Amino acid sequence: MPHNLNPDLSGKLSIYKALLIKWSKAINLVSPSTLTDIDARHFNDSLQLLKFIPEDTKTLLDIGSGAGFPGLVLALARPDMSVHLVESDQRKCSFLSAVSRETNIPVIINNARVEAVDKSIAPNVITARALADLTTLLKLTEKFWLDNKALTLILPKGAKWSQEVIDAKIKYDFSYEHHTSLTEKDAAVLVLTNIKYLK
């Protein structure tokens, strides 16, 4: 388990971990090779996003939630936020629901593709991990950032993150910071703001 966690969060992550191992015997939630190191590969990888989430964030939208990384882990760590998880696979939604119930952390689970999610959710922050390249993510989230200049996208990215930024800049304008991932040396966490189409 990650160090310096408060006991309540640590306990909830232990429940989460046990459920992930149990459910993974029946459905493919994460890459099987990562089940031996859930703390580093999934929990720590998700928790490193915490420091980039503004303190006053009311609503976080996590798209392509899968087994809940990073969205459900962030919901456990920041129970003051309203967290929406978007996942099109019904079985994965059942898993997310089980973790939410067993850890007593309320989240809103949208069993849908992001294209079908209503923009009235009006998130302050959007997260997505291992869902698509940056250009595709900007297209998928357009209805949320188009009229909301204060929206922040926080995206864990792999070794090709810099090329993804270059490719996205062909069509979109945005401010961004990149932070070296704490769990993978070639990876990065991208924090995007002020997103708009290039004139």
Side-chain angles (χ1 to χ4, degrees), residues 18-29 35:
L19 286 167
L20 183 61
I21 292 166
K22 179 182 173 186
W23 279 65
S24 288
K25 292 170 184 163
I27 64 173
N28 185 26
L29 289 166
L35 285 170

PDB file of all heavy atoms in Angstrom, residues 18-29 35:
ATOM      1  N   ALA A  18      -8.727  -6.351  -2.771  1.00  0.00           N
ATOM      2  CA  ALA A  18      -9.286  -7.702  -2.620  1.00  0.00           C
ATOM      3  C   ALA A  18     -10.385  -7.950  -3.655  1.00  0.00           C
ATOM      4  O   ALA A  18     -10.464  -9.040  -4.249  1.00  0.00           O
ATOM      5  CB  ALA A  18      -9.833  -7.886  -1.207  1.00  0.00           C
ATOM      6  N   LEU A  19     -11.224  -6.954  -3.893  1.00  0.00           N
ATOM      7  CA  LEU A  19     -12.298  -7.089  -4.889  1.00  0.00           C
ATOM      8  C   LEU A  19     -11.724  -7.204  -6.302  1.00  0.00           C
ATOM      9  O   LEU A  19     -12.212  -7.985  -7.124  1.00  0.00           O
ATOM     10  CB  LEU A  19     -13.246  -5.885  -4.812  1.00  0.00           C
ATOM     11  CG  LEU A  19     -14.196  -5.858  -3.617  1.00  0.00           C
ATOM     12  CD1 LEU A  19     -14.843  -4.479  -3.476  1.00  0.00           C
ATOM     13  CD2 LEU A  19     -15.276  -6.929  -3.743  1.00  0.00           C
ATOM     14  N   LEU A  20     -10.676  -6.434  -6.584  1.00  0.00           N
ATOM     15  CA  LEU A  20     -10.053  -6.479  -7.910  1.00  0.00           C
ATOM     16  C   LEU A  20      -9.488  -7.870  -8.193  1.00  0.00           C
ATOM     17  O   LEU A  20      -9.684  -8.424  -9.283  1.00  0.00           O
ATOM     18  CB  LEU A  20      -8.950  -5.422  -7.999  1.00  0.00           C
ATOM     19  CG  LEU A  20      -8.229  -5.287  -9.347  1.00  0.00           C
ATOM     20  CD1 LEU A  20      -9.191  -4.893 -10.451  1.00  0.00           C
ATOM     21  CD2 LEU A  20      -7.092  -4.267  -9.257  1.00  0.00           C
ATOM     22  N   ILE A  21      -8.814  -8.437  -7.210  1.00  0.00           N
ATOM     23  CA  ILE A  21      -8.242  -9.788  -7.383  1.00  0.00           C
ATOM     24  C   ILE A  21      -9.365 -10.821  -7.561  1.00  0.00           C
ATOM     25  O   ILE A  21      -9.293 -11.683  -8.446  1.00  0.00           O
ATOM     26  CB  ILE A  21      -7.337 -10.137  -6.176  1.00  0.00           C
ATOM     27  CG1 ILE A  21      -6.082  -9.251  -6.193  1.00  0.00           C
ATOM     28  CG2 ILE A  21      -6.951 -11.613  -6.196  1.00  0.00           C
ATOM     29  CD1 ILE A  21      -5.279  -9.258  -4.904  1.00  0.00           C
ATOM     30  N   LYS A  22     -10.405 -10.703  -6.749  1.00  0.00           N
ATOM     31  CA  LYS A  22     -11.522 -11.654  -6.814  1.00  0.00           C
ATOM     32  C   LYS A  22     -12.260 -11.572  -8.155  1.00  0.00           C
ATOM     33  O   LYS A  22     -12.498 -12.586  -8.815  1.00  0.00           O
ATOM     34  CB  LYS A  22     -12.491 -11.371  -5.662  1.00  0.00           C
ATOM     35  CG  LYS A  22     -13.704 -12.269  -5.623  1.00  0.00           C
ATOM     36  CD  LYS A  22     -14.627 -11.869  -4.470  1.00  0.00           C
ATOM     37  CE  LYS A  22     -15.943 -12.639  -4.519  1.00  0.00           C
ATOM     38  NZ  LYS A  22     -16.881 -12.151  -3.482  1.00  0.00           N
ATOM     39  N   TRP A  23     -12.626 -10.383  -8.559  1.00  0.00           N
ATOM     40  CA  TRP A  23     -13.389 -10.203  -9.805  1.00  0.00           C
ATOM     41  C   TRP A  23     -12.558 -10.522 -11.047  1.00  0.00           C
ATOM     42  O   TRP A  23     -13.102 -10.928 -12.074  1.00  0.00           O
ATOM     43  CB  TRP A  23     -13.915  -8.766  -9.886  1.00  0.00           C
ATOM     44  CG  TRP A  23     -15.166  -8.522  -9.096  1.00  0.00           C
ATOM     45  CD1 TRP A  23     -15.313  -8.592  -7.744  1.00  0.00           C
ATOM     46  CD2 TRP A  23     -16.441  -8.144  -9.612  1.00  0.00           C
ATOM     47  NE1 TRP A  23     -16.598  -8.283  -7.380  1.00  0.00           N
ATOM     48  CE2 TRP A  23     -17.317  -7.998  -8.509  1.00  0.00           C
ATOM     49  CE3 TRP A  23     -16.935  -7.898 -10.896  1.00  0.00           C
ATOM     50  CZ2 TRP A  23     -18.654  -7.629  -8.646  1.00  0.00           C
ATOM     51  CZ3 TRP A  23     -18.267  -7.519 -11.044  1.00  0.00           C
ATOM     52  CH2 TRP A  23     -19.115  -7.398  -9.939  1.00  0.00           C
ATOM     53  N   SER A  24     -11.239 -10.333 -10.949  1.00  0.00           N
ATOM     54  CA  SER A  24     -10.378 -10.578 -12.112  1.00  0.00           C
ATOM     55  C   SER A  24     -10.341 -12.049 -12.519  1.00  0.00           C
ATOM     56  O   SER A  24      -9.933 -12.377 -13.637  1.00  0.00           O
ATOM     57  CB  SER A  24      -8.960 -10.072 -11.840  1.00  0.00           C
ATOM     58  OG  SER A  24      -8.932  -8.660 -11.838  1.00  0.00           O
ATOM     59  N   LYS A  25     -10.777 -12.914 -11.617  1.00  0.00           N
ATOM     60  CA  LYS A  25     -10.850 -14.345 -11.969  1.00  0.00           C
ATOM     61  C   LYS A  25     -11.977 -14.608 -12.970  1.00  0.00           C
ATOM     62  O   LYS A  25     -11.956 -15.593 -13.695  1.00  0.00           O
ATOM     63  CB  LYS A  25     -11.061 -15.182 -10.705  1.00  0.00           C
ATOM     64  CG  LYS A  25      -9.855 -15.180  -9.779  1.00  0.00           C
ATOM     65  CD  LYS A  25     -10.175 -15.804  -8.437  1.00  0.00           C
ATOM     66  CE  LYS A  25      -8.965 -15.705  -7.503  1.00  0.00           C
ATOM     67  NZ  LYS A  25      -9.336 -15.927  -6.096  1.00  0.00           N
ATOM     68  N   ALA A  26     -12.964 -13.705 -12.986  1.00  0.00           N
ATOM     69  CA  ALA A  26     -14.127 -13.904 -13.855  1.00  0.00           C
ATOM     70  C   ALA A  26     -14.137 -12.980 -15.070  1.00  0.00           C
ATOM     71  O   ALA A  26     -14.557 -13.376 -16.153  1.00  0.00           O
ATOM     72  CB  ALA A  26     -15.411 -13.703 -13.050  1.00  0.00           C
ATOM     73  N   ILE A  27     -13.697 -11.735 -14.895  1.00  0.00           N
ATOM     74  CA  ILE A  27     -13.689 -10.802 -16.027  1.00  0.00           C
ATOM     75  C   ILE A  27     -12.340 -10.086 -16.123  1.00  0.00           C
ATOM     76  O   ILE A  27     -11.630  -9.939 -15.137  1.00  0.00           O
ATOM     77  CB  ILE A  27     -14.834  -9.759 -15.942  1.00  0.00           C
ATOM     78  CG1 ILE A  27     -14.685  -8.830 -14.725  1.00  0.00           C
ATOM     79  CG2 ILE A  27     -16.188 -10.428 -15.921  1.00  0.00           C
ATOM     80  CD1 ILE A  27     -15.688  -7.694 -14.709  1.00  0.00           C
ATOM     81  N   ASN A  28     -12.020  -9.656 -17.336  1.00  0.00           N
ATOM     82  CA  ASN A  28     -10.736  -9.018 -17.590  1.00  0.00           C
ATOM     83  C   ASN A  28     -10.808  -7.535 -17.239  1.00  0.00           C
ATOM     84  O   ASN A  28     -11.236  -6.718 -18.046  1.00  0.00           O
ATOM     85  CB  ASN A  28     -10.345  -9.211 -19.063  1.00  0.00           C
ATOM     86  CG  ASN A  28      -8.967  -8.666 -19.357  1.00  0.00           C
ATOM     87  OD1 ASN A  28      -8.122  -8.582 -18.480  1.00  0.00           O
ATOM     88  ND2 ASN A  28      -8.756  -8.261 -20.597  1.00  0.00           N
ATOM     89  N   LEU A  29     -10.406  -7.190 -16.025  1.00  0.00           N
ATOM     90  CA  LEU A  29     -10.486  -5.811 -15.557  1.00  0.00           C
ATOM     91  C   LEU A  29      -9.213  -5.025 -15.846  1.00  0.00           C
ATOM     92  O   LEU A  29      -9.260  -3.869 -16.249  1.00  0.00           O
ATOM     93  CB  LEU A  29     -10.769  -5.790 -14.048  1.00  0.00           C
ATOM     94  CG  LEU A  29     -12.176  -6.224 -13.626  1.00  0.00           C
ATOM     95  CD1 LEU A  29     -12.219  -6.486 -12.131  1.00  0.00           C
ATOM     96  CD2 LEU A  29     -13.204  -5.182 -14.018  1.00  0.00           C
ATOM     97  N   LEU A  35      -1.584  -7.602 -11.781  1.00  0.00           N
ATOM     98  CA  LEU A  35      -2.281  -8.003 -10.550  1.00  0.00           C
ATOM     99  C   LEU A  35      -1.316  -8.315  -9.404  1.00  0.00           C
ATOM    100  O   LEU A  35      -1.706  -8.311  -8.245  1.00  0.00           O
ATOM    101  CB  LEU A  35      -3.183  -9.212 -10.813  1.00  0.00           C
ATOM    102  CG  LEU A  35      -4.481  -8.912 -11.573  1.00  0.00           C
ATOM    103  CD1 LEU A  35      -5.173 -10.200 -11.990  1.00  0.00           C
ATOM    104  CD2 LEU A  35      -5.418  -8.039 -10.755  1.00  0.00           C
TER     105      LEU A  35
END
